[in-house]
Amino acid sequence: MDIYSKRRAQKIWSVLRFPLFLTGQRYISQAAAKIDVDFDYDGPLMKTEVPGPRSRCLLFVFSCKNAEAVHFFCNYEESRGNYLVDVDGNRMLDLYSQISSIPIGRRQLYQSFLFCPQASTFINRPALGILPPENFAERLKESLLSVAPKGLPQVITMSCGSCSNENAFKAIFMWYRNKERGHNNVTKEELESCMINQPPGCPDYAMLSFMGGFHGRTLGCLATTHSKAVHKLDIPSLDWPIAPFPRLKYPLEDFVKENQQEEARCLEEVEDLIVKYRKKKKIVAGIIIEPIQSEGGDNHASDDFFRKLRDIARKHGCAFLVDEVQTGGGCTGKFWAHEHWGLDDPADVVTFSKKMMTGGFFHKEEFRPNAPYRIFNTWLGDPSKNLMLAEVIKVIKREDLLNNATHAGKALLTGLLDLQARYPHLISRVRGRGTFCSFDTPNDATRNKLITIARNKGVVLGGCGDRSIRFRPTLIFKDHHAHLFLNIFSDILANFK
Amino acid sequence: MDIYSKRRAQKIWSVLRFPLFLTGQRYISQAAAKIDVDFDYDGPLMKTEVPGPRSRCLLFVFSCKNAEAVHFFCNYEESRGNYLVDVDGNRMLDLYSQISSIPIGRRQLYQSFLFCPQASTFINRPALGILPPENFAERLKESLLSVAPKGLPQVITMSCGSCSNENAFKAIFMWYRNKERGHNNVTKEELESCMINQPPGCPDYAMLSFMGGFHGRTLGCLATTHSKAVHKLDIPSLDWPIAPFPRLKYPLEDFVKENQQEEARCLEEVEDLIVKYRKKKKIVAGIIIEPIQSEGGDNHASDDFFRKLRDIARKHGCAFLVDEVQTGGGCTGKFWAHEHWGLDDPADVVTFSKKMMTGGFFHKEEFRPNAPYRIFNTWLGDPSKNLMLAEVIKVIKREDLLNNATHAGKALLTGLLDLQARYPHLISRVRGRGTFCSFDTPNDATRNKLITIARNKGVVLGGCGDRSIRFRPTLIFKDHHAHLFLNIFSDILANFK
């Protein structure tokens, strides 16, 4: 923003006083007429470069907030379906959907909440753990419990993904310790030592994680996150074991044997680490893994790899925690990505957030805390998010959006493979499950340039890892959106210098 | 719940199908007529014991969730002003207000949001860090920034109190490390070692906390929480220094010298710990403290203690973090409790949540992260909470609710002192600032019995520490509510056996 002098910004600021869209008031009055027809636009419509003058000016006056990551400012009233509209009136096909956190087209929820008979749920946020509203069990049943992974009948809600993983770790540590003490009573020494952060009350337990994984940014989560230095630099951490995640070679059918060996090597390392850490009196109580490492670069492993990892966890008495914060909610074609694996014995704990609108975790009965207030905080989530999730799930079922994700994902992946064949110097390692697709570019600079060009042609993309581009559309992304994108991107690649 | 057989529960369950209040639909249609007159009730109205049959039955069928802490189920549609209505139709004066998280009477917000022209803000939750809505800076200005503590012009929003403290720690660690490296470039060794949780990338930094403090339940926060074993047992922790918090004797005027000595002892210990930990190469980067230790038992210290602590932090180059998650928002008679101290040099970081409806932290300019994505997550709060907070702040100003907290708090404290004089075997150490009042009972059992009796007489109270009762009403708690409570509680004490 250093290209703007303060005076110039003040001049531009005066422009901001006359909004391009007088939406706040207008939308409501048109809602009844519009709601059934206006779920999506028919294509991108670009008026300026992005960020446009209005966005840049807003950024300049936005000095009170950690704003360096801001891409541009948005007009959410005018955004709809698969399209994001910015404050300069640019309408873009959105394949990143708020870092993968939008489940369905937003207009669809308007229908249910615009003249909201549930106003109280939005306004009156209760301390759910102690004073739940009457309909809370029912609300859980029609939202989270209606999509619970098989074998995990229990759920606890949290406000965000990091808190979900933090509390899942805690449930695992408690479970492990209870096992260890043989359900004997807690000793006085444990009760006293825990108050000053010392063992045996605070035992030297660890979660095993994988290089390239991302599980959140609070201190406990961060000790299991290993995707980018910017997340971790300068923050004290814990000496917890970190295993290698398979680095598969593509196309998969050409490297069957190499990839099997690579996965076997990683699994062996997991077992070695568990043993090695136990020898130095640090107990691996659980293993955490993403079905597809997302932030770390959309790294996949085979279903067989995950089945074997689950077996290793059981063999060594460790809990198996599947982090579905980014993969959950249907985008892989199943509601939970780990359902593709065909596990005999379900995961022990599954965490979620983002598209699920509320954070939280599912768990097996035996991971239920053995006393009140052990897994607890003031809010424990937010019932208004459960209310919205219930609506989202209704739409997913009614419109068969899981099958849509499989179908549209196939259209996208097929198109990407075609582009890879035509532009192998720009696109490699095309991969994906459902619409959860991605590809690699030669390097960071090329990747970022492609994202910027695409944005100015009306397509919002997201990066991950050090050179990948990831697709994270909503569940209403259809075949024709895939083709729309592929046409635009094909032109971009043809003209890329 | 073991008094209920499954069959009996099923029988009762059939009762649940006919709700006592048909509120979901009814409320809306009456809203226009009721909204201006129905902000509060005129007193408790009890129909059953609490929890009543309907609450107990709901608890019984509520088997899918960590429900052991649930007190009873609520009817939030019928609750208003200072009163909480449960599902059995019991109307109770609420002096605990969702663990201190309700700022003003809930009906007051209905007026602004019932036919909500801002529906989009409630439904379309953005990834605030990268794609904020156009009005976001403005919304911050009219909400959080309009009440920023003096000297702290920067704010970052988070979803809850724990995430606020976790991220405040991170901002402090980054600030300290930047100071230490003299703003030189980050080394390759730092970038590599941080990925595997090792120094120098993950330096051995610590936050100094106080015995009895509560700062949240995620792993980083939990290393600074020392109020109850139930929060900490079985969870691995960090070797961070823990100083004693003054244990003042009451009445304060009778123990001036002892209390001064006690505070001096604690401050000396703080300095000793900083030096001792530095000797073992563990650097105290910051000090975290609550203005009144809440969960730990409503422990107060003098303004002078906090001023001296701030000086110690500055002297040793540590950041001074004031955790106002429970004390903030006006209940002490100032918007921030630490404003009572009269600091020359402001705190470096102030965290908040609960009554502020959104979590987050204010900080000095120099604690602003030096690069994008360092303090970051998907949602970074929720604009719908800022929207509500803006309305709350309007009401606080319009109705002069800070002065009301001072005034009503005085009525409450005076009455409690009177009860203490009459029932010294039941009530001791009466203390408070604004309505943030509390007293001690002889022991845990007596405390819990008093809370239960009060509830059945129509008053919701909360406990803290091992024998205290804390008052956490909303900001619309007035003198007459204090007298109403004091009359009921006086009867309870007179008949207590």
Side-chain angles (χ1 to χ4, degrees):
Chain A
M1 288 313 296
D2 44 11
I3 53 163
Y4 284 92
S5 71
K6 196 130 199 175
R7 192 187 299 179
R8 193 165 160 207
Q10 278 162 351
K11 198 171 144 196
I12 299 175
W13 177 235
S14 66
V15 175
L16 295 181
R17 309 215 163 267
F18 305 97
L20 286 181
F21 310 98
L22 295 162
T23 53
Q25 304 311 317
R26 201 191 59 174
Y27 179 71
I28 298 301
S29 59
Q30 299 195 353
K34 274 190 149 186
I35 242 163
D36 283 306
V37 292
D38 280 5
F39 285 156
D40 212 0
Y41 289 107
D42 56 3
L45 183 64
M46 303 305 288
K47 295 183 175 170
T48 72
E49 242 198 338
V50 180
R54 197 169 173 81
S55 259
R56 280 184 288 169
C57 184
L58 281 165
L59 193 55
F60 190 85
V61 296
F62 191 57
S63 65
C64 52
K65 187 101 170 40
N66 177 16
E68 289 87 347
V70 167
H71 296 178
F72 50 86
F73 284 78
C74 299
N75 182 326
Y76 289 110
E77 280 75 16
E78 291 295 318
S79 300
R80 60 188 69 172
N82 287 283
Y83 292 86
L84 182 63
V85 177
D86 74 4
V87 293
D88 290 283
N90 298 299
R91 182 204 300 162
M92 291 162 272
L93 182 63
D94 185 3
L95 306 184
Y96 196 37
S97 61
Q98 309 291 330
I99 321 180
S100 196
S101 69
I102 307 293
I104 57 170
R106 292 152 180 234
R107 288 278 164 142
Q108 286 165 288
L109 285 181
Y110 271 73
Q111 217 165 11
S112 309
F113 296 111
L114 201 52
F115 300 104
C116 183
Q118 299 94 341
S120 163
T121 307
F122 286 86
I123 295 169
N124 295 333
R125 186 179 192 177
L128 268 183
I130 60 167
L131 297 166
E134 177 161 10
N135 62 10
F136 188 53
E138 205 182 324
R139 196 68 79 210
L140 278 178
K141 221 194 279 178
E142 71 192 28
S143 60
L144 288 167
L145 292 171
S146 79
V147 293
K150 204 179 141 196
L152 305 185
Q154 299 277 326
V155 70
I156 297 180
T157 50
M158 292 285 157
S159 294
C160 69
S162 285
C163 285
S164 305
N165 279 326
E166 289 271 349
N167 281 282
F169 294 178
K170 288 171 59 172
I172 286 169
F173 294 140
M174 292 171 190
W175 163 83
Y176 198 95
R177 189 79 184 107
N178 273 348
K179 248 187 355 169
E180 217 178 36
R181 61 164 79 91
H183 304 280
N184 294 327
N185 282 343
V186 177
T187 65
K188 188 159 170 271
E189 192 193 357
E190 283 179 295
L191 290 174
E192 285 172 3
S193 58
C194 81
M195 295 299 282
I196 51 168
N197 301 8
Q198 299 297 322
C202 295
D204 210 357
Y205 286 169
M207 293 294 299
L208 182 145
S209 55
F210 289 83
M211 193 50 80
F214 181 93
H215 302 290
R217 290 161 165 268
T218 49
L219 262 67
C221 293
L222 202 53
T224 63
T225 285
H226 320 279
S227 46
K228 285 173 195 153
V230 67
H231 307 141
K232 293 178 69 77
L233 186 69
D234 301 345
I235 314 301
S237 195
L238 293 151
D239 175 26
W240 286 0
I242 310 157
F245 190 86
R247 178 81 186 157
L248 301 187
K249 289 190 176 158
Y250 288 82
L252 294 176
E253 55 274 23
D254 294 352
F255 296 95
V256 174
K257 202 171 160 202
E258 286 91 334
N259 288 337
Q260 277 174 356
Q261 283 171 343
E262 167 68 356
E263 293 193 339
R265 178 186 74 86
C266 295
L267 291 170
E268 204 180 305
E269 184 75 16
V270 170
E271 290 210 68
D272 286 353
L273 280 167
I274 295 172
V275 174
K276 187 180 136 199
Y277 269 73
R278 286 197 178 163
K279 267 191 197 144
K280 58 173 180 171
K281 303 279 182 220
K282 193 172 289 261
I283 308 292
V284 177
I287 296 174
I288 182 169
I289 198 159
E290 296 156 278
I292 300 165
Q293 285 191 334
S294 309
E295 180 69 19
D298 268 31
N299 307 317
H300 293 246
S302 71
D303 296 342
D304 185 58
F305 171 83
F306 290 103
R307 285 192 296 263
K308 285 180 175 152
L309 184 65
R310 203 282 162 262
D311 289 344
I312 289 173
R314 193 191 308 100
K315 175 181 164 192
H316 291 275
C318 310
F320 187 53
L321 194 177
V322 181
D323 178 342
E324 293 249 26
V325 168
Q326 187 148 170
T327 50
C331 44
T332 66
K334 291 188 184 284
F335 206 93
W336 303 105
H338 79 271
E339 291 174 331
H340 289 281
W341 303 341
L343 294 179
D344 294 330
D345 181 13
D348 294 308
V349 182
V350 172
T351 54
F352 56 83
S353 187
K354 289 193 181 262
K355 279 190 169 54
M356 301 301 287
M357 317 199 83
T358 174
F361 59 103
F362 294 103
H363 60 87
K364 283 186 182 161
E365 196 72 38
E366 65 193 281
F367 286 80
R368 190 175 172 130
N370 64 348
Y373 294 109
R374 296 200 75 183
I375 298 289
F376 188 86
N377 59 46
T378 298
W379 285 319
L380 281 176
D382 184 339
S384 71
K385 310 299 181 192
N386 295 357
L387 187 65
M388 288 196 278
L389 178 62
E391 288 297 320
V392 165
I393 290 170
K394 262 189 226 163
V395 174
I396 290 176
K397 288 179 180 167
R398 190 180 65 219
E399 303 189 8
D400 197 18
L401 293 182
L402 297 186
N403 279 329
N404 175 66
T406 305
H407 204 273
K410 203 174 158 194
L412 178 61
L413 200 67
T414 307
L416 288 173
L417 286 166
D418 178 54
L419 291 177
Q420 175 177 269
R422 283 157 57 205
Y423 304 99
H425 60 296
L426 288 173
I427 294 193
S428 62
R429 302 181 81 242
V430 166
R431 56 204 183 272
R433 199 154 220 176
T435 61
F436 206 98
C437 296
S438 48
F439 60 84
D440 280 9
T441 66
N443 52 51
D444 185 40
T446 305
R447 185 256 309 267
N448 296 345
K449 201 170 158 190
L450 282 169
I451 290 176
T452 304
I453 296 173
R455 194 160 74 183
N456 287 316
K457 301 278 183 198
V459 178
V460 178
L461 290 169
C464 65
D466 55 6
R467 66 181 69 182
S468 305
I469 285 179
R470 58 176 152 174
F471 295 84
R472 297 292 181 272
T474 70
L475 295 172
I476 60 156
F477 175 83
K478 313 245 160 154
D479 290 29
H480 70 268
H481 297 108
H483 296 305
L484 185 63
F485 159 74
L486 290 163
N487 285 334
I488 294 172
F489 203 62
S490 174
D491 289 347
I492 291 172
L493 293 172
N495 296 307
F496 191 81
K497 279 184 266 298
Chain B
M1 288 311 296
D2 43 12
I3 54 165
Y4 285 93
S5 71
K6 196 132 199 173
R7 191 187 301 178
R8 193 167 158 206
Q10 277 161 352
K11 201 172 141 196
I12 298 176
W13 178 235
S14 66
V15 175
L16 294 180
R17 309 216 162 266
F18 305 95
L20 285 182
F21 310 98
L22 295 162
T23 52
Q25 304 311 316
R26 201 193 58 176
Y27 179 72
I28 298 302
S29 60
Q30 299 195 351
K34 275 190 149 186
I35 240 162
D36 283 306
V37 291
D38 279 6
F39 285 155
D40 212 359
Y41 289 107
D42 56 4
L45 182 65
M46 302 305 288
K47 296 182 174 170
T48 73
E49 242 197 337
V50 179
R54 197 171 174 80
S55 259
R56 281 184 288 169
C57 185
L58 280 165
L59 194 55
F60 190 85
V61 295
F62 190 58
S63 65
C64 53
K65 186 99 168 43
N66 176 17
E68 290 88 347
V70 168
H71 297 177
F72 49 85
F73 285 78
C74 300
N75 182 326
Y76 289 110
E77 280 74 19
E78 291 295 319
S79 300
R80 60 188 72 171
N82 287 283
Y83 292 86
L84 182 63
V85 177
D86 74 4
V87 293
D88 290 283
N90 297 301
R91 182 204 299 162
M92 291 162 271
L93 181 64
D94 185 2
L95 306 184
Y96 196 38
S97 60
Q98 309 292 330
I99 320 180
S100 196
S101 69
I102 307 293
I104 57 170
R106 291 151 181 232
R107 288 278 164 142
Q108 285 166 287
L109 286 181
Y110 271 73
Q111 218 167 9
S112 309
F113 296 112
L114 201 52
F115 299 106
C116 183
Q118 299 93 343
S120 163
T121 308
F122 286 86
I123 294 169
N124 295 332
R125 187 179 192 176
L128 267 184
I130 60 166
L131 297 165
E134 176 160 12
N135 62 10
F136 187 53
E138 206 183 323
R139 196 67 79 211
L140 278 179
K141 220 195 276 179
E142 71 192 28
S143 59
L144 288 166
L145 292 172
S146 79
V147 294
K150 204 179 140 196
L152 305 186
Q154 300 276 326
V155 71
I156 296 180
T157 50
M158 292 286 158
S159 293
C160 70
S162 285
C163 285
S164 306
N165 279 326
E166 289 273 348
N167 281 283
F169 294 178
K170 288 171 60 173
I172 286 169
F173 293 139
M174 291 169 188
W175 162 84
Y176 197 96
R177 189 77 185 108
N178 273 347
K179 248 186 0 171
E180 218 178 36
R181 63 164 76 90
H183 305 279
N184 295 326
N185 282 344
V186 177
T187 65
K188 186 158 172 274
E189 193 194 358
E190 284 179 295
L191 290 174
E192 285 171 3
S193 58
C194 80
M195 295 299 281
I196 52 168
N197 301 8
Q198 300 298 323
C202 296
D204 210 357
Y205 286 170
M207 292 294 300
L208 181 144
S209 56
F210 289 83
M211 194 50 79
F214 181 92
H215 303 289
R217 290 161 166 270
T218 49
L219 262 68
C221 293
L222 202 54
T224 64
T225 286
H226 319 280
S227 46
K228 285 174 194 150
V230 67
H231 308 141
K232 293 177 67 77
L233 187 69
D234 301 344
I235 314 302
S237 195
L238 293 151
D239 175 25
W240 287 0
I242 309 157
F245 189 86
R247 178 81 187 158
L248 300 186
K249 289 188 176 159
Y250 289 82
L252 294 177
E253 55 275 23
D254 294 352
F255 296 95
V256 174
K257 202 170 160 205
E258 287 90 334
N259 288 338
Q260 276 172 357
Q261 282 170 346
E262 168 67 356
E263 293 192 339
R265 178 186 75 86
C266 295
L267 291 170
E268 203 180 306
E269 184 74 16
V270 170
E271 291 210 67
D272 286 353
L273 281 167
I274 295 172
V275 173
K276 187 180 134 198
Y277 270 73
R278 285 195 180 166
K279 268 189 196 144
K280 58 174 179 170
K281 304 277 183 225
K282 193 174 289 262
I283 308 292
V284 177
I287 296 174
I288 182 169
I289 198 160
E290 295 156 279
I292 300 165
Q293 285 190 336
S294 308
E295 180 68 20
D298 267 31
N299 307 317
H300 292 245
S302 72
D303 296 342
D304 185 57
F305 171 82
F306 290 103
R307 285 192 296 264
K308 284 179 176 153
L309 184 66
R310 204 283 162 262
D311 289 344
I312 289 171
R314 192 191 309 99
K315 175 180 161 193
H316 291 275
C318 310
F320 187 52
L321 193 178
V322 181
D323 178 341
E324 292 250 26
V325 167
Q326 186 147 172
T327 50
C331 44
T332 66
K334 291 188 186 283
F335 206 92
W336 303 104
H338 79 271
E339 292 174 332
H340 289 282
W341 303 340
L343 293 179
D344 293 331
D345 180 12
D348 294 309
V349 182
V350 172
T351 53
F352 56 83
S353 187
K354 287 192 182 262
K355 278 191 169 52
M356 302 302 287
M357 318 199 84
T358 173
F361 59 103
F362 294 103
H363 60 87
K364 284 187 181 161
E365 195 72 39
E366 65 192 281
F367 286 80
R368 189 172 174 133
N370 63 349
Y373 293 108
R374 297 201 74 184
I375 298 290
F376 188 85
N377 58 47
T378 298
W379 285 320
L380 282 176
D382 185 339
S384 71
K385 309 299 180 192
N386 296 355
L387 188 64
M388 288 197 277
L389 179 62
E391 288 297 320
V392 165
I393 291 170
K394 261 189 224 163
V395 174
I396 291 176
K397 288 179 180 166
R398 189 179 67 219
E399 302 188 11
D400 197 17
L401 293 182
L402 297 187
N403 279 329
N404 176 66
T406 304
H407 204 272
K410 203 173 160 198
L412 178 60
L413 199 68
T414 307
L416 288 173
L417 287 166
D418 178 53
L419 290 177
Q420 174 176 271
R422 284 157 57 205
Y423 304 100
H425 60 296
L426 288 172
I427 293 194
S428 61
R429 303 182 80 241
V430 166
R431 55 205 184 272
R433 198 154 220 176
T435 60
F436 206 98
C437 295
S438 49
F439 61 84
D440 280 10
T441 65
N443 52 52
D444 185 39
T446 306
R447 184 256 310 267
N448 296 345
K449 201 170 157 190
L450 282 169
I451 289 176
T452 303
I453 297 173
R455 195 160 74 182
N456 286 316
K457 301 279 182 197
V459 178
V460 177
L461 290 169
C464 66
D466 55 5
R467 65 182 68 183
S468 306
I469 286 178
R470 57 176 153 173
F471 295 85
R472 297 293 182 271
T474 71
L475 295 172
I476 59 156
F477 175 84
K478 312 245 159 156
D479 290 29
H480 70 269
H481 297 108
H483 296 304
L484 185 63
F485 160 73
L486 290 163
N487 286 335
I488 293 171
F489 203 61
S490 175
D491 288 348
I492 291 173
L493 294 172
N495 295 307
F496 191 81
K497 278 184 269 296

